[in-house]
Amino acid sequence: MSPIFISHFTLTDLESLSNTNTNPPPSESPSNAPSSSSPSDNSKSSTIINATSIARSRGYEAICIPLTNEKWKSRWKDMCLLPGEDDTLPNDREEFEKKAEMWRLRPGYLKDEVTITRLDEAEGVIGLASEWLELDAADDWVRNDAETALLQELSYAYYLGIQTAILPAPRNRSQVGSYARAINACLATIPYVSISVKIPIYDPSMIQLVHEPPLTTSVNISNGNTGNRTGGARGGSFIGDQYSIATWEMWDAIRSICDYNTRLTLTLDMTLPLPSETDVLCQWVAEPVRFLFLPASIFIPNVKGYPVLPKGTQSFLRDIMKIQPYVILSGAASGRHNRGGEAAYIQYIRHLEKTSPAVKASHTAGTVENFALGYLDYLQAPLQPLMDNLQSMTYQTFEQDPVKYRNYEEAVYRALREWPRPGRISICVAGAGRGPLVARCMKAMIRAGKNGPIYAVEKNPNAYVTLQERSKNEWGDKVQLLFGDMRTLNVPEKVDILVSELLGSFGDNELSPECLDGAMRFLKGDGISIPASYTAHLAPLSSSKLYNESRSSTNTEKGLETPYVVMFSAINILSDDGPGLSGKCGPQVQECWEFEHPRRDAVLNDQGLPLTNSHNARFAKLSFHIPHAGILHGLAGYFEAVLYGNIGLSIHPQRMPTVSKDMLSWFPIFFPFREPLYLPSNSELQVSIWRLTNERQVWYEWFAEAFLPLPSISSPSRRRSMKTDNNSNSHYLGASSLNSSSSGAGSPMVDAEDISLPTFEDAQNELEEEPRIGLVKIGQTFLHNPKGRSSWIGL
Amino acid sequence: MSPIFISHFTLTDLESLSNTNTNPPPSESPSNAPSSSSPSDNSKSSTIINATSIARSRGYEAICIPLTNEKWKSRWKDMCLLPGEDDTLPNDREEFEKKAEMWRLRPGYLKDEVTITRLDEAEGVIGLASEWLELDAADDWVRNDAETALLQELSYAYYLGIQTAILPAPRNRSQVGSYARAINACLATIPYVSISVKIPIYDPSMIQLVHEPPLTTSVNISNGNTGNRTGGARGGSFIGDQYSIATWEMWDAIRSICDYNTRLTLTLDMTLPLPSETDVLCQWVAEPVRFLFLPASIFIPNVKGYPVLPKGTQSFLRDIMKIQPYVILSGAASGRHNRGGEAAYIQYIRHLEKTSPAVKASHTAGTVENFALGYLDYLQAPLQPLMDNLQSMTYQTFEQDPVKYRNYEEAVYRALREWPRPGRISICVAGAGRGPLVARCMKAMIRAGKNGPIYAVEKNPNAYVTLQERSKNEWGDKVQLLFGDMRTLNVPEKVDILVSELLGSFGDNELSPECLDGAMRFLKGDGISIPASYTAHLAPLSSSKLYNESRSSTNTEKGLETPYVVMFSAINILSDDGPGLSGKCGPQVQECWEFEHPRRDAVLNDQGLPLTNSHNARFAKLSFHIPHAGILHGLAGYFEAVLYGNIGLSIHPQRMPTVSKDMLSWFPIFFPFREPLYLPSNSELQVSIWRLTNERQVWYEWFAEAFLPLPSISSPSRRRSMKTDNNSNSHYLGASSLNSSSSGAGSPMVDAEDISLPTFEDAQNELEEEPRIGLVKIGQTFLHNPKGRSSWIGL
């Protein structure tokens, strides 16, 4: 789990190494070191092999080096960059152009133009593509020739079996499309080689002092509304969020153009020191950061002279370590810092990694992070325990939860203690599984000093065998086992307390509401249900990883029409606490709906069952404030349950630590979107989600719309209808008067030459109102609804 | 081609009809008119059958009527809307709820609740779903019960074989997601029945006086920049474009949620009179408008008392008639106007249709509109005459063009006339086909009084037979035929004038540049190429039809990665002439690139052929101003060619009428986008398009990014780098200083506790500059590039 280090060698580094080397470097005496390596060559030494072995001896896994040298650079420039008009005769110029054309026709290197020529040299090497390649040059010829040169370089890397090449950063936003298209062409043409694009972590021209009001968008400028902003607290802060993340936006354009190709990754260039306020940088954690590029120059000496990192960089590194990027150290051998030598850099990064909260948690037994190792960002189909009979192993995994059953026992205990009537109290465990809740109920009975029967209902015939065994060996006649579905089974008496654990990651997604509707038949009118209620919660999420995972699912259509259970790691929650510029957004994570048990108002048939399931349909429309530009890939879903009183269960990221810390049984749920949706800084996302039902199934549908808040001259007080009849139905908004009946609407009496309009004065009066914030729609997702049977939940 | 009329009957209309009817209407005496119709019932009369036959006798094709009546409305309301708490006892309330639940479980009508009961009554009827259904109610229960009722209604329509149902308009923007999801569920559940959503043509609350400055967005409010706006000229105008099109935006959300289901269409409600300025309404022409709903109330009397339409409505109707919507007339029998009776309305609409410019053009022989009848919005793969040998029929079709060959002859004639040297002049027709250009060259020779050989080069062996025949019968020894590919063939002498017709709809897309590169071998150094040059042009386009056509192509991936040739009809060009709010946008239709012949600077091999094709690669990045919200489905492509001097060919929509009016040979080209991209009002669209080439193929790639212009505090003069070395490379924009070398960048000397930042005073000084317009990215398309061989163009 310790980070993997890569040592960065510049051409200068390699040159000085070759000068101290007894073997002639390949570029110096070509005749002695033939580039066509035969097996016997592999044993010969070379500068590159020396560099690799030096690096390995110092704790690095591998080295990264430029693939080409200055000779190639100068040949390419001679061929492809036009000399000044005065420098050469037209004759020479034609000669130059002919050379370039010959190269374009059959691109290739001379042996002395590359740093590696042999297979054994290339082993474990990460290649750096030529820094001077301008894939985003404004000049068409320079750009096209850079693309040809890159293709040649990658083709050579492929020949040598080099697995990864790192590309120089894009530099020209207006040509990022060309930069990206060139990469896409390389990915399509060159098999196997991964391409990692070097991207600076932020644009330094966008940093500003904290004392300035946060001038985030036009809105703040024009009406001075700066009240509702979070962030920008201490130290350096960013000018306008949409700009601070400018380098992320370039990366996003590139990988979007490359359609999220999994061979395209990111080398995050950490050359710049980070300000202490870095929440805008969270977006990087949701990206495929394969390498961190850390030059020795970013390190600063601590009081003892050892190299350490600035605080902002420390904190960012601790955060991103959880996605396990390789660390490329550059210039660490140059003796820039007094103490510790090269090893000090590596030790320091190792120390940062070990003190990363996420990494620490994953190393600590009993945490959900530790429990989830191996399952990070891994998509699982949610359980359907009503349709499928679970395996014993599945029960066993969940029974390990140290928190869930403790809280259940406490809830039952308190319910028993606070039970108003003296004497016998009956409990029914509905969905007993292998019996963990039955055991806890017995303990709670004893602790509370109460007495009464415990019924255990289970419909899984296999688990029922285990129940019988426990009944015989442990419980005796205190527990009465009942085999069958709680929705139809007859229980000998109505009970005082009904205990169930039918909850899924989204609360109701394993059909707890429907099952408990059936179980209510045997709960007394004033009886208690544990849980008493539960709620479902959502937040918008960005994650390249999860997007690629969900769409690569065998059946693409289905892959994105069904939610998944997943332990999040490489994700970023895009929302923050509202209210946003419109003042109408809710918190970062928002509640969708609630289910309560027992429900008092259902219409029941003669068997005590609801006539239809329509009372379990739900709908929520949520508004999220998106502070920083990001790309929406899906929705993170959580649940929270009230067991009894103030005893609960929660996987809500902000409340889990207080309600049920270290509970293991539930990972969050993930609702994917079929296509990514770009969200600018300070935008608002409106999410609609439905829980729908028919006689046989329950399913979710979801979609989202994006808006930008802008000053608007339209507001309810400014709207007016055109001589149409007033519609008294107050929940009808603007378009209400449009719902024409065949009489009254329109204006049959107007003159043929003109249309009756409000007067100029009317308009003037209304214009004097101050502008308000209106929402301008900028995009939407598809409606996601299950098309295949398997993404429905069977009743 | 005359419009089809539908007569609208309200419940009141039907009632008064049944009262004048000798037969008892079905709702009055249920026992006499059993709803289970046997064959003999079909001959019996009924109110509906009377209505249909009355309508047919008056010139209508069919009738549209409500499917349900007041009895159903009142039963539904009794069941599904809660009575006030005081009105009824709890007992009654439970009874009500039970009724509702029973209905939800098994929805169905009583016979008296529907207007149609028999198959023969339903024939040709268009059903109106109950107007009072609130699919977008704020209340969950009302909304869900409305959906159940709609499903029941459509299921009944399906039972009766009714093909189309018209739905009441959405009224509540904030619940449009629920409205749309309900429709999507109906489309998934009910087969066969088309659903047409009634949408008012605009939101009347958004109309304003022309005298007001056009307050389109925040930008105009905050800095008074109103200079660059078009529109808003005479009569009533719209407040803020993003609002005037509010009803279109609702429609767009609905059909997007329904994923452009082809069974979902639009009934445009024309109840409101239109202002004279209607360019914002062009968007409707690009939508599947199946019906126009025209109430008699919108008609006004002309001086003689006949019903006519207001000017704005007239002009809109003339425009939309080209997509042939059915016209629903409502209340035309009510005698609202003095003169002409019901027939006057129909006659008037017919008159409008006949005077529609598009319809008129399509009826006029010799126009491209007439030539294109049957091909409107029909996607064709572009010809690949270099790879495929064309059929004689294809040549014949193109030879019919009255304009193209006239212009060619004129160009050759003028070139001959202006030829500077006296004596013999030689011409080569490169790509002679069946010989039309050869014949024209001969005519031009005669007209110009010149003499010399004409060579005719053709590589299609089949067309070469026709050439031989014409040579023998018509041309004699004036013409020398040469069989072979112009890129490799030997021509006996270098000629003075090279004539070719190798152009495609996008200019270079049939490989004219590559073919003429080869033909340049036999053109004299000072010779003339006809055409001398050609340019490719693009404009962003919206069209539901074309989007659905291109994605329904058998291979979806391929379907959207290749351009099509198509005669546009139901489309809307989204751009208008710039410069937009940023001041950087070009005109409505923009030039991508140009090819010139002969080109003087290619590097040639010994055979006189270019070494590579890289000089024929092209790239263009275009910025379009999008004045009104719309949805981008693709790019419209055109070409323009200079034949000689001021003689040209053009299908550029603005210039074709002056350059080559009535030319038939080329329809425009269409570059589709895989997913629609929403563009708000006043946004900017940046389109990148590449013409790419390798040794064997030529292809196009394209993508687009959308931006909103907002006041920005970031501008070149405000950018600063953080103590990094200055980069003198001036075309590198903001991020240039990020391209760290391993030395210099970063800040190794800073204190471990802080980061060096610009001073507060620096920031204050810069803040005093006035805000500028910056572009905030809001979305992008995929990169489109050909994946299948068939979408490449072979060299």
Side-chain angles (χ1 to χ4, degrees), chain B residues 491-529:
Chain B
V491 173
E493 60 171 323
K494 289 209 173 192
V495 297
D496 298 307
I497 300 177
L498 180 76
V499 185
S500 66
E501 49 165 341
L502 306 167
L503 297 171
S505 299
F506 201 48
D508 53 270
N509 63 302
E510 294 180 13
L511 303 186
S512 177
E514 284 76 12
C515 292
L516 291 184
D517 274 349
M520 286 305 132
R521 294 175 302 125
F522 45 85
L523 181 63
K524 284 180 184 159
D526 62 350
I528 293 167
S529 170

Side-chain angles (χ1 to χ4, degrees), chain B residues 561-574:
Chain B
E561 305 299 349
T562 183
Y564 294 96
V565 164
V566 56
M567 184 63 190
F568 295 138
S569 176
I571 69 145
N572 182 33
I573 298 294
L574 292 167

Side-chain angles (χ1 to χ4, degrees), chain B residues 430-448:
Chain B
R434 305 198 314 173
L437 277 187
V438 176
R440 293 292 188 156
C441 287
M442 290 184 72
K443 274 194 197 164
M445 280 276 205
I446 294 164
R447 280 175 60 202

Side-chain angles (χ1 to χ4, degrees), chain B residues 46-291:
Chain B
S46 81
T47 304
I48 303 299
I49 288 179
N50 281 353
T52 300
S53 62
I54 289 169
R56 292 208 169 130
S57 73
R58 290 178 185 169
Y60 297 96
E61 180 84 11
I63 63 171
C64 78
I65 58 169
L67 291 168
T68 68
N69 60 30
E70 290 293 328
K71 289 190 179 164
W72 167 237
K73 178 179 180 178
S74 90
R75 178 158 75 100
W76 186 86
K77 290 203 162 171
D78 283 350
M79 286 191 304
C80 301
L81 301 185
L82 281 183
E85 294 289 339
D86 301 336
D87 296 353
T88 48
L89 296 168
N91 242 8
D92 285 328
R93 186 170 161 173
E94 200 170 300
E95 202 48 46
F96 270 118
E97 283 177 13
K98 194 148 191 171
K99 260 191 183 167
E101 278 286 278
M102 291 305 296
W103 168 72
R104 288 179 196 120
L105 189 63
R106 305 269 176 257
Y109 295 113
L110 301 175
K111 188 172 59 67
D112 291 359
E113 294 168 342
V114 290
T115 54
I116 309 180
T117 54
R118 288 160 32 186
L119 251 190
D120 59 335
E121 290 176 325
E123 216 165 287
V125 162
I126 288 150
L128 295 166
S130 303
E131 276 283 337
W132 42 268
L133 289 178
E134 289 186 59
L135 295 168
D136 49 3
D139 183 273
D140 285 353
W141 281 100
V142 173
R143 210 176 51 241
N144 291 346
D145 285 344
E147 180 177 342
T148 305
L150 177 65
L151 204 59
Q152 167 184 347
E153 225 162 296
L154 294 173
S155 154
Y156 187 67
Y158 169 71
Y159 168 74
L160 290 171
I162 289 174
Q163 300 191 18
T164 306
I166 296 175
L167 262 55
R171 285 160 277 205
N172 183 354
R173 174 62 183 90
S174 70
Q175 292 291 341
V176 76
S178 289
Y179 179 96
R181 196 207 50 71
I183 293 178
N184 193 53
C186 291
L187 287 166
T189 312
I190 310 286
Y192 173 77
V193 179
S194 282
I195 294 177
S196 196
V197 176
K198 197 166 169 184
I199 303 273
I201 185 158
Y202 67 93
D203 180 344
S205 67
M206 297 308 174
I207 216 159
Q208 73 168 165
L209 269 189
V210 65
H211 313 284
E212 291 182 34
L215 298 169
T216 49
T217 74
S218 61
V219 176
N220 287 337
I221 291 171
S222 56
N223 67 3
N225 168 13
T226 60
N228 305 321
R229 299 263 316 126
T230 61
R234 267 165 303 279
S237 179
F238 286 112
I239 297 180
D241 300 326
Q242 64 265 48
Y243 304 110
S244 58
I245 199 75
T247 63
W248 172 81
E249 202 239 61
M250 282 216 274
W251 158 251
D252 176 61
I254 294 164
R255 67 80 184 277
S256 296
I257 287 173
C258 295
D259 198 18
Y260 288 72
N261 193 309
T262 50
R263 280 197 287 131
L264 179 67
T265 68
L266 183 56
T267 297
L268 206 51
D269 182 350
M270 305 288 296
T271 300
L272 296 165
L274 297 187
S276 54
E277 180 64 36
T278 57
D279 64 323
V280 66
L281 302 175
C282 291
Q283 188 58 42
W284 291 119
V285 175
E287 302 295 349
V289 178
R290 178 93 180 274
F291 301 103

Side-chain angles (χ1 to χ4, degrees), chain A residues 101 171 173-174 204-205 209 212 218 239 274 300 612 621 705 713 720 731 738-740 752 755 760 763, chain B residues 101 134 171 173-174 204-205 207 209 212 239 269 274 300 612 621 705 711 713 720 738-739 752 755 760 763:
Chain A
E101 278 287 279
R171 286 161 278 203
R173 174 62 182 91
S174 69
S205 67
L209 271 186
E212 291 183 33
S218 63
I239 298 181
L274 298 187
I300 48 180
T612 75
K621 192 176 173 198
E705 282 184 296
I713 51 161
R720 50 182 178 255
H731 81 266
L738 303 180
N739 182 31
S740 64
I755 292 168
F760 183 60
Chain B
E101 278 286 278
E134 289 186 59
R171 285 160 277 205
R173 174 62 183 90
S174 70
S205 67
I207 216 159
L209 269 189
E212 291 182 34
I239 297 180
D269 182 350
L274 297 187
I300 49 180
T612 75
K621 192 174 173 200
E705 284 184 294
I713 50 162
R720 51 185 177 250
L738 302 179
N739 180 33
I755 292 170
F760 183 58

